Amino acid sequence: MNLSPADDAHPKRTSLILFVTGEAPRSRRAYHNLNAALDDSTLDVAPAREIDLLRDPQQAIRFGIFATPALMRVDASGSRRVLYGDLSDERRLKDFLSVL
């Protein structure tokens, strides 16, 4: 999903952004857990955009991210919610995704 900076702030529909730190084990687990949850769901959502903060650390400041991995949900109004961790808690992840 290629989003311009304006699209990041106000997407047309709810979008997901996964913030990772390279190939760190917790980042890879978060990526795997998110994709598994989306594959198992009936949600009609675009794939999460992945931002590697090792490659682009300014994005942490831009989005207010202070730890990784982190999954951000941005709705059409620009409202942002963040779930921190490797997304291994299936209940928390399911609840986070349930508003999509």
Side-chain angles (χ1 to χ4, degrees):
M1 172 167 52
N2 294 324
L3 298 176
S4 70
D7 291 336
D8 284 343
H10 298 288
K12 292 180 179 70
R13 67 182 202 177
T14 301
S15 63
L16 297 171
I17 306 171
L18 180 63
F19 296 89
V20 298
T21 47
E23 294 295 320
R26 288 178 48 84
S27 292
R28 292 299 91 206
R29 277 195 305 274
Y31 176 83
H32 172 75
N33 291 335
L34 175 59
N35 285 325
L38 291 174
D39 287 346
D40 291 343
S41 76
T42 59
L43 299 172
D44 178 28
V45 63
R49 176 179 174 203
E50 186 173 339
I51 296 178
D52 184 343
L53 296 179
L54 290 179
R55 291 188 183 141
D56 195 359
Q58 287 299 107
Q59 295 295 335
I61 296 166
R62 178 176 176 219
F63 285 98
I65 298 299
F66 60 85
T68 62
L71 179 61
M72 178 177 281
R73 183 180 68 218
V74 184
D75 68 19
S77 71
S79 176
R80 299 176 181 180
R81 299 284 305 203
V82 180
L83 179 61
Y84 288 96
D86 67 3
L87 309 178
S88 60
D89 185 332
E90 292 178 22
R91 171 57 60 201
R92 285 183 64 212
L93 180 56
K94 184 178 179 180
D95 289 346
F96 187 82
L97 297 173
S98 68
V99 299
L100 296 177

